[in-house]
Amino acid sequence: MSSNIPVRRTTRTVTKSIKETENANARPSRIATRTKTTLGSSSTSVLSDAVTTRSVAATTASSRAKAVDASTEKTVVGKRKREILAEVTEVNKGKGKTTAKGKEKAEGSSSKPEVRSRTVAKGTRPALRKATGPVTRSARRDRAHAIAVDSVAPGEDAVIEDAQSTLPSSDIPDYHLIPKDEEPTGTLPTIAEDDTDHPRVFKKRHTEPAEEPKKPIPELPPAGDASRYEEEYVATELAMVDDADGETGKWDDLDACDMDDPYMVAEYIHEIAEYLKEREQKTLPMESYMDNHRDLTWDHRQLVMDWIGAIHARYAFLPESYFLFVNIFDRFLSLRGSVTLKKLQLVAVSSFCIAVKYEEGVSPSLQELVKLTEDAYSADEICKAERYVLKTLSYDLSFPGPMTWLRRGSKADELEPRARTIAKYLLEAASFEHTLVAVPPSLQAAASLWFARLMLHREDWNANLIHYTTYKEREVVEVANRMLYYLLQYDQSENLYKKYASKKYFKCSVFVRKWALNLFKPGSEPDLAEMLPAIKADIREQREAKLAAEEYI
C-alpha cells in the first residue's frame, strides 16, 4: 500500500572550500600585512587594518599564505637588529659599551688618556678558574676593578672608578670572578688556596711479579748413606724422563675445548681426578672377605650378581647403580662376618635398593621388591636390612665407579662407540670375577678400554690414553688377562651374554667370545702378556695386507 504523504527531504548546506595550498583552511595570523611601519599613528592604523582584515570571511588562500609570511618579516623601526651570534673576544667586548655618563667624564678630562674599560691586551687573558663561593654583585665589581688596574697606566685611579661604576655587572664573565675578601695585590689577581680536603691521588705503581719460592735444596746424606742417596736421585730422574718404549710423551689438552661448558668443570677436572683416586682407595672391599663367612662361597656371590644384573636390565637402570650395588654388597660382607646363606638374598635386595635410590630418579617400590624375592621377605624386613647396611657402611656411599673413568678414557679415544660398548661389557663381566674385587675401578676401566681397542685391531696405547686413564700398558695387561680368563669359562653369566648380544650393543658379547676362542681354548687359563707381541704382530700384518689389497685394486 503506497502512501500519498510527500517525503520531506533534508537539505544539506555544502560549504565549498578552496584548497589551493596546504594552509588554505588555516587560522589567519594576528598580523596580516607586510607593510613596514614606524612607531606612531601609522603603526596604529596598520594594526587596526589587520584586525579588520581578520574579520573578513572571504579571504583568499593566497592572501592567507602571505599573511603567514608577513608575521615573520614584521619589524619595528628604531630597534637595532640582534647581531648573529659569533665568537666574541675580550677586545670586542669592550667596544661601544660605555654609557653616556662615562662619555661625558671622558670628554671633560682631555689631559687624561682614553680609558679602556674591561679591555685586556691581546694574548694576556687572565687565568681561568671557577668561583669558590656564591657570586655576588660586589665580587663582580671588585673583579672589574682588578682588571682595570692591570690594563691602565698609573695615575688613572679616579677615572677607572668612575668608568667601572657605569659598567653593567652582568657583562662580567663568571670565570673571572674571585671572592670579595681576596684583594688584588699585584699585576695579576692572587688565587687563594683551597682548604677543602680532596682524596689523595696515587700514581699507579709498576710492580714486578713476585718471585717464586725457591725449592729447598736437599741436604746431603751422611757418608754411610751415599748409595741410598744415589738410588733416590736416579729414581727421580727416571720419573722425569719418558719411557724407552715411547709410552709417555706429549699429550693433548682435550679439556680446553670444554671450558665454556659448566657441566664439564674443565677448570677443576685434575683436582677432581685426584680426589676420585683417593676415594676409590678408601671404599675398596677386602680381597679375601669370603674367608670370614662359613656358609658362603664365591659361587654364591656370582649367583647373586647374575640375579641382580637381570633385575637391573629389566628396569633399564644406569650402569652406575649396578656398580654401586656391587661395591655396597662387597663392602658390607667385608665388614660383617658370618652372614648366613638364608640372609644373603636379603642383603642383596637391600643393597640394590640403596644403590638405586642413590643413583636413579625413580626406584622400585617395596611391593615390587617383595615380589622379586618371591615373598621370601616382607617389606618391613627389607627396610630394617636397608638401615642396617647403611649403618654398617657409616652412610658412606661416595664410591667413584668405573664408568666415570671409562668416560674420561673414551674421550681420549675420540669417543669411538664400539670400543666403549665392548669396554662396558668387559666391566660388567669383571664384576663376576672374584679376583678383581679389590682392584680399583679406575684400573678396571683402563684395562677394559685397552682390551677393547686390542680386539678392534687398535693396539697402540698413546700418550693421551695414558694421561687420561692414568695407567700405562704394562699396568693394565694383568687385569685384562683376568677378564679374559672369565670369558673363557663355561659358567659365565647367561643373562649378561644375552643382554650384550642384542643389536643395541653391537652384539659385542658374541664378537668378544669369538675373538677369545680364536686364540685360546675354552676353560683354559690364558697368559695375555706372553701372547701380546704375537697378537700385535698379527694385527700389523693384517693391516699391511689390507692396505696392499686396496692399492692393488
Side-chain angles (χ1 to χ4, degrees), residues 88-109:
V88 182
T89 61
E90 292 291 334
V91 179
N92 294 332
K93 288 182 180 180
K95 293 181 179 181
K97 292 290 180 82
T98 57
T99 59
K101 185 177 180 180
K103 287 183 180 181
E104 291 176 1
K105 291 188 177 183
E107 292 175 358
S109 56

Side-chain angles (χ1 to χ4, degrees), residues 6 52 98 100 129 196-197 209 218 237 271 330 337 345 385 409 439 450 540:
T52 305
T98 57
R129 70 181 298 277
T196 57
D197 295 335
E237 291 293 330
E271 290 79 359
D330 290 335
Q345 189 178 12
V439 175
W450 174 85
R540 296 189 188 98

Side-chain angles (χ1 to χ4, degrees), residues 343-362:
K343 298 293 182 181
L344 184 63
Q345 189 178 12
L346 180 60
V347 174
V349 171
S350 59
S351 300
F352 177 73
C353 185
I354 294 171
V356 170
K357 288 180 180 179
Y358 189 83
E359 293 288 352
E360 303 289 342
V362 180

